[in-house]
Amino acid sequence: MPASYAYLGPEGTFTEVALRTLPETATRELVPYVSVPAALDAVRGGEAEAAFVPIENSVEGGITTTLDELVAGEPLMIYREVLLSITFALLVRPGTKLTDIKTVTAHPAAQPQVRNWLRQHLPEAVWESAASNADGARLVQEGRYDAAFAGEFAAARYGLEPLVTGIHDAENAQTRFVLVGRPARPAAPTGADKTSVVLWQRDDHPGGLRDLLGEFATRGINLMLLQSRPTGAGIGNYCFCIDAEGHINDRRMAEALMGLKRICLQVRFLGSYPRADLRPAEVRPPLPGTSDEEFVAAADWVARCQDGRF
Amino acid sequence: MPASYAYLGPEGTFTEVALRTLPETATRELVPYVSVPAALDAVRGGEAEAAFVPIENSVEGGITTTLDELVAGEPLMIYREVLLSITFALLVRPGTKLTDIKTVTAHPAAQPQVRNWLRQHLPEAVWESAASNADGARLVQEGRYDAAFAGEFAAARYGLEPLVTGIHDAENAQTRFVLVGRPARPAAPTGADKTSVVLWQRDDHPGGLRDLLGEFATRGINLMLLQSRPTGAGIGNYCFCIDAEGHINDRRMAEALMGLKRICLQVRFLGSYPRADLRPAEVRPPLPGTSDEEFVAAADWVARCQDGRF
């Protein structure tokens, strides 16, 4: 296996900061790629062992480019997740004052996170999108724009200074990143895990989605994310990216996935992996009969019934 | 009421083309705004009678800026929808050949719709985002980029020529637009209507979303869109934008909305309006007891029981 991790570049973005929180990066080469598809294709093509990309944001919701790449194409699997709090700094060339700023730039994903701040403090500033927040900082360094929203850590790299720090429209603004590799055996359960799947319905009828979600609910499994994504077959045709609490080796999750496999047109397993928040799955309100032991005991009982030994 | 419609500008975009398919625009002044929030604020502030904005795309899914504006802030209501097929033309300055093209531009929303075409035909071209497809065409006219993806109708306006037409990665690529105004009585049912609502759950527990969807399913109502949007309270906190078949004046829809009002933390009604595809709601597989007459008869029966007159 090549000992390199691909990530959504360039260097000096929140993605790189999040990636470096994983201890194993100390012994890996970290290679920036220009886009999420490029980073994931590096894994599919065997150039990289894994790819590290953003997948969910507490302001913007699911990162659609990443979800669409995981939904389609050669299957990949999620092995790790990282949560990073996101606050922006307004980076300027040394000496620039707030009143000097006519143009601001950043990656389009930053816009909804600084919109209110802009409306209050720089209502006249013209927004120009950059390929990344780091690239926006570079364009400010080159004098093309007056200010860039980026991580404060990017200032030094581009000879800029943070004029304002701690900018975020929503409290607790966080981005979730995932480490994605080729399919293999998931890591063993840690007791605080999540499972990601993509579901395609057989057909569109009243109660169809309710029945899919019932496979989780009936077994006491809580959902953490439900993001619909177009199938490409026209308006109104969606598949569903779902994160659920628990590990595929948990009996209740295995049974829920079997139920989905029976009733869905297609199910794509995207992995079971440790939760970044380390919280164990809560079965709330406490549903009786949802532990592994109870599932095993119930299976034994049915087997004994089938044998006439109950 | 001021007789003007705000729309997501500039002129010469798909939004304007879609808006002009509404017959009443003949007697309205159509005023372009720089963003979806600006167009909707024009309605909220009384400058415009209504605003026309994109809300869903068969390639990208829900248009998050629009959904987030309808979810939050002063309530607005949807009165009409328009479906427009989207195919792009590659617009260039006269005389440009495909091999001359080093840079391409368009609105970021166009990118996923032309990505495969680009990979096949212009793999080396550098993508630069523009504020709108029309603005991209203007930048090509000014010589800043070599080619722009835009509607073929935009070529003449910017002195460009369509080098390639009919570009779309997905067959049946469509965008859905809505006409949004201040809350008032919804138009009467046409027999082919849809209802849009936003739902906030009381708390997060296994089966919570399944139970919300059950309010529709139990009454034979099919869903057309379910798009989760972050509430801003951190990763994993979502509300749900739902489009359902039928009109709030249909007995089954009224009862479903009453059920949701009882069990949700909050329900925001976004309107009942004619479906652009004119298809009547299908109750499939045919569920008995879902017509208005049957709901009325059942209500009568319960009232008679309460009176001891059954």
Side-chain angles (χ1 to χ4, degrees):
Chain A
M1 280 269 238
S4 79
Y5 282 178
Y7 71 96
L8 175 63
E11 298 174 57
T13 64
F14 289 109
T15 307
E16 189 193 347
V17 170
L19 174 56
R20 289 191 185 278
T21 65
L22 294 178
E24 64 265 39
T25 56
T27 57
R28 262 51 175 207
E29 189 192 357
L30 307 183
V31 184
Y33 281 76
V34 294
S35 67
V36 170
L40 296 181
D41 281 348
V43 177
R44 290 185 170 117
E47 289 166 52
E49 179 185 352
F52 191 76
V53 294
I55 194 166
E56 187 184 359
N57 180 293
S58 62
V59 176
E60 267 301 270
I63 312 282
T64 57
T65 316
T66 301
L67 292 172
D68 289 351
E69 277 288 323
L70 294 178
V71 162
E74 204 183 309
L76 293 168
M77 242 175 73
I78 300 172
Y79 290 91
R80 298 288 295 271
E81 68 170 9
V82 173
L83 284 174
L84 189 75
S85 291
I86 305 285
T87 64
F88 289 91
L90 188 69
L91 306 186
V92 296
R93 290 179 298 279
T96 306
K97 294 189 300 294
L98 205 57
T99 47
D100 298 334
I101 298 173
K102 304 281 176 276
T103 54
V104 296
T105 187
H107 187 265
Q111 196 170 15
Q113 304 185 50
V114 302
R115 195 180 284 149
N116 292 336
W117 188 92
L118 265 179
R119 216 178 276 177
Q120 278 180 29
H121 298 92
L122 289 171
E124 303 297 324
V126 175
W127 173 279
E128 299 276 353
S129 289
S132 69
N133 294 326
D135 203 52
R138 186 182 56 78
L139 293 171
V140 172
Q141 183 185 33
E142 292 176 3
R144 189 147 151 206
Y145 304 121
D146 299 327
F149 291 101
E152 194 177 346
F153 48 80
R157 189 186 298 259
Y158 294 99
L160 302 177
E161 60 185 29
L163 184 63
V164 184
T165 59
I167 300 172
H168 49 85
D169 280 6
E171 289 300 324
N172 311 317
Q174 287 190 312
T175 296
R176 187 164 72 91
F177 299 85
V178 288
L179 185 70
V180 172
R182 284 180 294 276
R185 180 188 295 269
T190 65
D193 305 283
K194 70 203 292 187
T195 293
S196 298
V197 289
V198 190
L199 308 178
W200 285 262
Q201 289 178 281
R202 266 187 212 281
D203 61 1
D204 184 33
H205 64 270
L209 180 57
R210 191 260 318 247
D211 295 344
L212 299 194
L213 301 189
E215 297 290 336
F216 294 106
T218 300
R219 296 167 183 100
I221 297 171
N222 198 25
L223 302 187
M224 308 178 70
L225 173 74
L226 185 149
Q227 172 83 49
S228 56
R229 293 302 305 149
T231 62
I235 286 271
N237 289 281
Y238 287 94
C239 60
F240 300 97
C241 300
I242 289 180
D243 287 354
E245 290 186 352
H247 192 285
I248 191 172
N249 291 7
D250 296 341
R251 300 289 288 240
R252 64 178 183 280
M253 181 66 79
E255 198 181 283
L257 296 183
M258 286 188 275
L260 291 166
K261 185 71 184 171
R262 286 195 313 270
I263 67 174
C264 287
L265 179 65
Q266 193 190 337
V267 180
R268 180 176 273 208
F269 176 62
L270 291 181
S272 289
Y273 47 97
R275 293 173 60 155
D277 62 12
L278 303 176
R279 269 190 293 187
E282 265 184 275
V283 183
R284 187 167 60 88
L287 284 185
T290 54
S291 71
D292 267 21
E293 292 68 28
E294 288 161 308
F295 267 86
V296 171
D300 286 350
W301 176 77
V302 169
R304 289 198 310 276
C305 289
Q306 290 164 333
D307 266 2
R309 302 185 290 108
F310 48 94
Chain B
M1 280 269 240
S4 79
Y5 282 179
Y7 71 97
L8 175 63
E11 298 174 58
T13 65
F14 288 109
T15 307
E16 188 193 349
V17 171
L19 174 56
R20 289 190 184 280
T21 65
L22 294 177
E24 65 265 38
T25 56
T27 57
R28 260 58 173 201
E29 189 192 356
L30 307 183
V31 184
Y33 281 76
V34 295
S35 68
V36 169
L40 296 180
D41 281 347
V43 177
R44 290 185 170 118
E47 290 165 50
E49 180 185 353
F52 191 77
V53 293
I55 194 167
E56 187 184 0
N57 180 293
S58 61
V59 176
E60 267 304 88
I63 311 282
T64 56
T65 316
T66 301
L67 292 172
D68 289 349
E69 276 289 322
L70 295 177
V71 162
E74 204 182 311
L76 293 168
M77 242 176 73
I78 301 171
Y79 289 91
R80 299 287 296 272
E81 66 168 10
V82 173
L83 284 174
L84 189 75
S85 291
I86 305 286
T87 63
F88 289 91
L90 188 70
L91 306 186
V92 296
R93 291 179 297 279
T96 306
K97 294 189 300 293
L98 204 56
T99 48
D100 299 333
I101 297 173
K102 304 282 176 275
T103 54
V104 297
T105 188
H107 187 266
Q111 195 171 15
Q113 304 185 50
V114 302
R115 195 180 284 152
N116 292 336
W117 188 93
L118 264 180
R119 218 178 275 179
Q120 277 179 30
H121 298 92
L122 289 171
E124 303 297 323
V126 174
W127 174 279
E128 299 275 354
S129 290
S132 69
N133 295 326
D135 202 51
R138 184 182 59 76
L139 293 172
V140 171
Q141 183 184 33
E142 292 176 3
R144 189 147 149 205
Y145 304 122
D146 299 327
F149 291 100
E152 193 176 347
F153 49 80
R157 189 186 298 257
Y158 295 99
L160 302 177
E161 61 186 27
L163 185 62
V164 185
T165 59
I167 299 172
H168 49 82
D169 279 6
E171 290 299 326
N172 312 313
Q174 287 190 312
T175 296
R176 186 164 74 89
F177 300 86
V178 288
L179 185 71
V180 172
R182 283 180 294 276
R185 182 186 293 270
T190 65
D193 305 284
K194 69 202 293 186
T195 293
S196 299
V197 289
V198 189
L199 308 178
W200 285 262
Q201 289 178 281
R202 264 187 213 284
D203 61 1
D204 183 32
H205 64 271
L209 180 57
R210 191 259 320 250
D211 294 344
L212 299 193
L213 302 187
E215 296 291 335
F216 295 106
T218 301
R219 296 165 182 101
I221 297 171
N222 198 24
L223 302 187
M224 308 178 72
L225 173 73
L226 184 150
Q227 173 84 49
S228 55
R229 293 302 306 147
T231 61
I235 286 272
N237 288 283
Y238 287 94
C239 60
F240 300 97
C241 299
I242 289 179
D243 286 355
E245 288 187 354
H247 192 285
I248 191 172
N249 290 8
D250 296 341
R251 300 290 289 240
R252 63 178 183 282
M253 182 66 77
E255 199 180 283
L257 296 183
M258 286 187 275
L260 290 166
K261 185 71 183 170
R262 286 196 312 271
I263 67 173
C264 287
L265 178 67
Q266 193 191 338
V267 180
R268 180 176 273 208
F269 177 61
L270 291 181
S272 288
Y273 47 96
R275 292 172 60 152
D277 61 13
L278 303 176
R279 270 189 292 186
E282 266 184 275
V283 183
R284 186 167 61 86
L287 285 185
T290 54
S291 72
D292 268 20
E293 293 68 27
E294 288 161 308
F295 267 85
V296 171
D300 285 351
W301 175 77
V302 169
R304 289 199 310 277
C305 288
Q306 290 165 333
D307 266 2
R309 302 184 291 109
F310 47 96

